[in-house]
Amino acid sequence: MTESAPLEVHGVSAVIDEPMIGEVGGDGKLSLGGAAWSIFQGGRDPFIILVTIYIFMPYVASVLVGDPVRGQQVISSWDQYIGWIVVVTAPFLGASIDKLGPRKGWLGLAVGMMVPLIAALWWAKPGGAITLGVLMLLVIAARVLFVYTEVLHNSLLVRAAGLGAAHKASGLALTLGNSFSVVALAFTAWAFALPGKVHWAWVPASPLFGLNPATHEPERVVALMSAGLLAVGSIPLFLFTPDAPRTGIPVLKAWAAGAGELAAMLKTVRRYRDAVIYLGARMFFVDGMNGVLIYAGVYAVGVMKWPPLAMLAYGVLLSVLAAFGGLVARWLDAGVGPKNALRIQIFMTIVGLGAMLGIAPDRILYLWPYDPAAHAPMWNGPVFRQLPDWIFILIGFSNAVFISGQYASSRTLLTRLTPPSQAGAFFGVFALSGVATAWLAPTLVNWGTRATHSQQGGFATIILLLAIGLAGLMFVKGGGPAAPPKL
């Protein structure tokens, strides 16, 4: 019998026999099961892009709550609950997953609960039966289940694609997640937001399916679209992706064993000073980065007063630009090393966030008043007609690129600070560090918004998290440019 190979699955060190890998697909070619695994992420990610960031939650803040400042406060309080639940449960699920055995049943249960929860958001309208309290429960449940599906889905990667093609399936999944989201945003703009606002030959004269903008149906329909994409995108995975074999371990024993593995991982990692400092710093800056993404839509609606059509266009533009973050990260990692790459990415996000706080429809970068009535529109399109709009978008471009890039540079830096033989333990704690402070950004945004009675005050608190993470990197040794090969 050949020696078993260690494998990191969602940050948990597992052991999988090499013959099984070969049987599933370890020849480097992307199998049908691997492609099906990737399609699942394509169907899952639009929920975050359409519902959480750009369309539905900004609608909740501006329309259902009725005041964007209070809306940011309300939504950040919901996110605190999500963060606390995830911190307590997700790491144990990740550590226990190999003991649980088959994952597709658990994944099917999570998806089966998510689809109706997301679809139910369609009925969240002014004066409707869904109150803010009920909506809070729906959103929290769907977001927590999303994290669980992410853990379960990631754990199937190697079984779906094999070690030789895992990177291909992972890259394809990221591409599909972004592509499906962009297509969904563009379709929503063409089918529901642009009709009646422009007289272009290629745009329908009125919203498709009779959707009524007066009752905010174009904003609410993204919930039905996201639920449908999740349901349809899940089908190939359940049909074609191989599942893990049964272990015979009861569920409670599997969870207990997972807790033991978490403790063992932490004991292993703490012996390496620089890695420990880095992972501690990452807890802060990654939470800050996530906060910028999650609240970007609510902030833009409240401060820039953008309508749904503008938010759709903003989402499309930033989703496309975010794809360049990986290219920028690869260039920076090679040129200055991943540690300095992260410093640049965090610093540029701080600069971008600071600049964003100084933009408003009547003000540019804090210092320059701007009267829209005194300036001719920059173009005759339906959105983004004034200079502050475009400066805000350019800042968003910068944030999208550097925030996207830091996710790649973060993984690269960890590989430079850790011994290969301990990769499983370190990436396990790496995954844990990504959720350990998931409650912190929402809490700070909530406090800042309450204290200042402004969205800017709430958003500004995220700079503190980024600054702490950036300062922490100063104490990390290593992570410079890779030495050139010796001739």
Side-chain angles (χ1 to χ4, degrees):
M1 181 175 177
T2 59
E3 184 180 356
S4 295
L7 166 69
E8 185 270 319
V9 178
H10 194 74
V12 179
S13 182
V15 175
I16 297 179
D17 290 336
E18 287 180 350
M20 186 282 295
I21 294 295
E23 180 181 346
V24 174
D27 61 355
K29 295 180 181 178
L30 187 61
S31 64
L32 177 61
W37 181 92
S38 302
I39 291 171
F40 179 84
Q41 185 162 340
R44 184 190 65 197
D45 284 3
F47 166 67
I48 293 297
I49 302 298
L50 274 71
V51 173
T52 302
I53 299 178
Y54 291 115
I55 307 302
F56 186 81
M57 295 310 290
Y59 153 73
V60 171
S62 60
V63 176
L64 294 186
V65 177
D67 173 15
V69 176
R70 183 168 172 266
Q72 180 171 289
Q73 179 182 318
V74 167
I75 291 171
S76 61
S77 69
W78 298 357
D79 289 339
Q80 290 179 63
Y81 298 125
I82 295 169
W84 292 331
I85 295 171
V86 166
V87 129
V88 171
T89 59
F92 292 99
L93 175 60
S96 308
I97 207 157
D98 290 315
K99 311 294 187 301
L100 291 171
R103 296 91 196 266
K104 288 166 70 171
W106 293 99
L107 187 58
L109 176 63
V111 170
M113 295 171 66
M114 275 185 72
V115 169
L117 285 171
I118 297 171
L121 301 179
W122 160 258
W123 284 277
K125 58 183 179 180
I130 295 183
T131 64
L132 276 179
V134 174
L135 181 61
M136 176 188 72
L137 295 177
L138 292 174
V139 170
I140 290 174
R143 288 272 303 279
V144 170
L145 285 168
F146 179 91
V147 174
Y148 295 165
T149 64
E150 193 172 25
V151 174
L152 293 162
H153 177 243
N154 286 348
S155 74
L156 286 170
L157 172 57
V158 172
R159 293 184 179 277
L163 285 173
H167 65 289
K168 295 181 180 179
S170 180
L172 177 61
L174 291 171
T175 300
L176 292 177
N178 189 65
S179 299
F180 280 31
S181 300
V182 168
V183 170
L185 285 167
F187 175 78
T188 303
W190 172 80
F192 309 123
L194 281 171
K197 295 182 175 62
V198 298
H199 301 286
W200 298 339
W202 51 276
V203 175
S206 59
L208 298 186
F209 312 118
L211 294 191
N212 185 4
T215 56
H216 302 280
E217 290 181 342
E219 294 101 291
R220 293 188 285 123
V221 77
V222 298
L224 298 179
M225 293 173 59
S226 300
L229 285 170
L230 174 60
V232 173
S234 301
I235 294 173
L237 181 143
F238 292 115
L239 291 178
F240 304 115
T241 297
D243 203 350
R246 296 186 180 278
T247 62
I249 302 175
V251 173
L252 291 180
K253 286 188 176 180
W255 280 81
E261 287 203 9
L262 274 178
M265 286 189 297
L266 291 172
K267 288 180 181 178
T268 298
V269 168
R270 71 185 184 185
R271 298 198 300 266
Y272 298 85
R273 174 186 176 277
D274 291 305
V276 169
I277 295 173
Y278 163 60
L279 291 170
R282 181 178 181 269
M283 287 195 300
F284 291 96
F285 72 71
V286 78
D287 199 41
M289 298 282 191
N290 291 338
V292 175
L293 293 178
I294 291 172
Y295 299 111
V298 173
Y299 185 85
V301 164
V303 173
M304 299 305 295
K305 313 300 181 186
W306 283 348
L309 178 58
M311 292 305 302
L312 284 164
Y314 187 56
V316 170
L317 291 172
L318 262 62
S319 296
V320 171
L321 262 294
F324 289 96
L327 299 176
V328 172
R330 185 165 59 182
W331 175 71
L332 287 173
D333 289 350
V336 300
K339 184 176 72 175
N340 287 327
L342 271 177
R343 286 173 169 174
I344 293 170
Q345 290 154 353
I346 297 170
F347 176 76
M348 290 303 298
T349 305
I350 292 174
V351 171
L353 186 53
M356 184 180 290
L357 297 174
I359 298 289
D362 60 353
R363 185 177 69 255
I364 297 175
L365 297 177
Y366 301 97
L367 302 177
W368 294 279
Y370 184 89
D371 182 4
H375 295 81
M378 298 186 67
W379 73 309
N380 292 323
V383 293
F384 309 142
R385 292 165 59 89
Q386 300 294 335
L387 181 59
D389 295 326
W390 284 103
I391 295 177
F392 192 93
I393 290 172
L394 290 175
I395 295 170
F397 286 172
S398 174
N399 287 342
V401 169
F402 288 110
I403 291 174
S404 176
Q406 69 85 21
Y407 292 113
S409 295
S410 292
R411 289 192 295 265
T412 305
L413 177 55
L414 187 63
T415 64
R416 301 282 181 88
L417 299 175
T418 59
S421 61
Q422 302 293 336
F426 278 101
F427 272 99
V429 179
F430 181 85
L432 178 60
S433 73
V435 298
T437 53
W439 52 273
L440 190 51
T443 301
L444 289 177
V445 170
N446 186 270
W447 287 350
T449 307
R450 286 175 179 268
T452 65
H453 303 287
S454 71
Q455 289 185 269
Q456 289 89 343
F459 223 52
T461 60
I462 296 176
I463 294 177
L464 177 62
L465 295 175
L466 298 173
I468 292 174
L470 181 60
L473 289 177
M474 296 175 61
F475 300 95
V476 176
K477 297 178 181 178
K486 295 182 179 180
L487 299 176

